[in-house]
Amino acid sequence: MAEPKVKETTLKNTKLSTVPLNWKEVYYTNCPLVSASNVDEGLGLTKKEYKKIGVKFAYMRSTPLTDWYPHYIHNQENLIRFGGLFPPIEVHADIRRTRLLGVTQMPAEGGVMMVRAKDDIYRMADLEGKKIGISKSMNKIKNDWWRIQEHQGIELMLRMNGMTMGDIQLVEFPYADDWYNLPEMMVATMELSIDLWLKRDHKRDLAFRPLETALEEGIIDAMYMQTKPLQQVSEATGKFAAIEDLSRYPDWRLQVANIPAAITCTDVMAKEHPELAVTFMKGMIRAGRWANENKRAAAEILDQQTFYRDIEHTYQGIRDVDLVPNLSLLNLAAVEIGKNFMLKHGYIKNDFDVHKWAAPEFLEQAARELLEEQWKKTTKSKLPSAAAALASAGRIG
């Protein structure tokens, strides 16, 4: 008996919806991963920055007029996204032009290979001839980031063990992935992105570990999973074990598992309303600095929306991570690796220059304005009146 055909979602059979454009409003969206944006949901620093310039700052789904697609295809001009790397790469390559405002790298989440704990499989070599699962979204509107991550991780782990895809059986699992504008998903609005996770037990929700059931039932012999966050939740059941871990290698090139997390805005916002992008980056710098100085408190906030097992595991995961977004040469090189993999394997059609995509001027301006504000605040308490701006001060002597 033939398998039932999985529904395919396309722009032809889907109606997209976004709130009417108003440049006195800026919306944000983020992924449930480690970022200054997710920390800021417990602080509200970015909203305060926008209040200073008279602009409303709100979560993308705070209005019922916007569906979930802007998070993936950036079809909203006044939106800023902070999330996984692969969707914004596809957007910039194939859908519309954006600017890369900053990234945050998790240096030890490259991925693990999970097997059933009861099986006599302890090395990658033991998987020769065996079945490794890979998911496949049938939603053609959005990026299939989950599959790209699995594909890249599997290929790398095989390579690090002297194997190739030809040594294993890759078993594909298509799924509809069509919930982004369903009526039941559009009814409820959310003040913060964290509200979505507070309504569900996401650390135990198998929707975020789609191949785990197939592994447990023996349909496949192994599956890819991100190091730490999802791995910890899966292993806590006692049913699964990791036989390979890319994060244990010294090579930073192995850690591009839908990361570095990227901040992007549309090219229209960057050109016509650059102050909105600068204001967002001011909020991210402030939230990132707070998180760096208060790692355990930041872990408590992040635990509510990420996949680490609990607060302590979240803290261990972020302990050595710089949560202030940057555009360092090292992190841009990691972005390049992700982009090149997507291009090589047909996940994007068009190539682009990562360094031209990057827009460090917004991060630079945000840092300068924060420094100026602190300079004025400090000197005002020490002098009769606030000192002149740092850049305009004359030379003494």
Side-chain angles (χ1 to χ4, degrees):
M1 184 177 178
E3 292 286 331
K5 188 175 181 180
V6 181
K7 175 190 172 184
E8 187 174 282
T9 300
T10 66
L11 287 171
K12 289 184 178 180
N13 64 18
T14 305
K15 183 179 179 181
L16 306 180
S17 176
T18 62
V19 67
L21 179 61
N22 179 355
W23 286 113
K24 283 296 182 180
E25 299 175 347
V26 169
Y27 293 89
Y28 76 95
T29 178
N30 51 32
C31 291
L33 43 64
V34 174
S35 74
S37 180
N38 279 327
V39 172
D40 192 42
E41 290 219 325
L43 303 175
L45 297 173
T46 308
K47 179 171 284 190
K48 291 177 182 176
E49 292 296 329
Y50 278 105
K51 277 186 177 181
K52 293 177 185 177
I53 61 172
V55 172
K56 174 187 173 182
F57 180 66
Y59 176 50
M60 178 188 77
R61 284 287 301 128
S62 63
T63 167
L65 299 177
T66 303
D67 60 28
W68 294 87
Y69 279 106
H71 180 80
Y72 298 94
I73 61 175
H74 223 132
N75 58 322
Q76 185 175 332
E77 298 291 1
N78 57 345
L79 176 77
I80 298 180
R81 180 188 189 275
F82 197 162
L85 177 65
F86 297 146
I89 284 178
E90 183 192 44
V91 168
H92 188 68
D94 297 342
I95 300 175
R96 63 155 307 149
R97 290 301 182 186
T98 60
R99 302 307 307 272
L100 180 64
L101 303 177
V103 301
T104 295
Q105 177 64 310
M106 295 296 293
E109 289 192 0
V112 296
M113 187 65 72
M114 301 292 284
V115 300
R116 288 180 295 275
K118 65 181 180 181
D119 286 353
D120 188 28
I121 300 175
Y122 291 87
R123 305 171 303 156
M124 287 294 294
D126 295 334
L127 289 176
E128 186 171 358
K130 290 188 164 51
K131 299 175 181 178
I132 299 179
I134 187 167
S135 60
K136 181 179 181 180
S137 168
M138 298 306 291
N139 191 320
K140 304 304 179 184
I141 298 174
K142 57 171 284 293
N143 174 263
D144 194 358
W145 64 270
W146 207 297
R147 177 189 177 89
I148 301 169
Q149 181 174 286
E150 292 167 346
H151 187 175
Q152 185 183 45
I154 292 168
E155 191 174 89
L156 286 173
M157 282 185 258
L158 291 170
R159 183 174 185 178
M160 297 305 290
N161 288 272
M163 302 170 71
T164 68
M165 287 289 191
D167 295 316
I168 55 99
Q169 298 180 58
L170 202 60
V171 181
E172 204 167 66
F173 288 84
Y175 65 108
D177 196 17
D178 61 351
W179 58 268
Y180 304 92
N181 62 352
L182 293 177
E184 58 268 32
M185 294 301 296
M186 295 287 289
V187 172
T189 57
M190 302 169 194
E191 183 179 353
L192 302 169
S193 70
I194 197 173
D195 293 346
L196 175 64
W197 313 115
L198 294 176
K199 294 179 180 179
R200 60 197 295 183
D201 186 5
H202 66 289
K203 294 183 190 288
R204 293 170 183 80
D205 191 334
L206 290 180
F208 301 100
R209 308 200 302 279
L211 300 181
E212 191 170 292
T213 300
L215 178 59
E216 183 176 1
E217 294 177 353
I219 299 172
I220 55 176
D221 301 296
M223 66 176 183
Y224 168 89
M225 185 173 282
Q226 270 188 332
T227 304
K228 292 182 183 177
L230 294 168
Q231 174 193 356
Q232 293 171 342
V233 176
S234 188
E235 287 182 330
T237 65
K239 299 175 182 178
F240 309 100
I243 61 168
E244 177 61 296
D245 184 350
L246 292 174
S247 75
R248 295 184 180 181
Y249 290 95
D251 193 337
W252 60 267
R253 296 173 298 175
L254 304 179
Q255 308 307 317
V256 186
N258 199 28
I259 49 178
I263 307 172
T264 50
C265 74
T266 65
D267 60 343
V268 175
M269 177 185 284
K271 292 174 183 176
E272 298 182 6
H273 298 278
E275 73 283 358
L276 300 180
V278 170
T279 300
F280 184 83
M281 295 312 294
K282 287 172 72 174
M284 293 302 97
I285 292 172
R286 291 185 62 196
R289 287 173 178 171
W290 183 92
N292 287 345
E293 295 169 2
N294 303 275
K295 283 291 173 68
R296 287 198 177 274
E300 189 163 350
I301 296 173
L302 290 169
D303 177 61
Q304 300 174 70
Q305 53 202 309
T306 60
F307 297 96
Y308 286 92
R309 194 169 71 196
D310 51 36
I311 295 173
E312 178 59 28
H313 282 86
T314 306
Y315 168 71
Q316 294 298 332
I318 69 172
R319 186 178 56 184
D320 300 320
V321 175
D322 180 8
L323 274 89
V324 176
N326 66 73
L327 286 170
S328 72
L329 292 175
L330 179 62
N331 284 341
L332 287 179
V335 172
E336 185 87 26
I337 289 171
K339 184 264 296 182
N340 288 345
F341 180 86
M342 292 175 69
L343 185 66
K344 177 182 178 181
H345 294 280
Y347 292 113
I348 57 174
K349 300 180 183 68
N350 301 297
D351 197 3
F352 63 87
D353 187 327
V354 166
H355 286 266
K356 290 182 179 178
W357 185 32
E361 61 269 24
F362 296 96
L363 182 60
E364 180 183 359
Q365 180 64 25
R368 181 182 292 111
E369 289 185 13
L370 287 173
L371 187 60
E372 291 283 2
E373 289 170 12
Q374 185 59 41
W375 168 253
K376 290 178 182 179
K377 182 179 179 181
T378 300
T379 60
K380 192 172 183 179
S381 67
K382 305 291 184 181
L383 299 170
S385 60
L390 288 170
S392 64
R395 186 173 180 179
I396 298 176

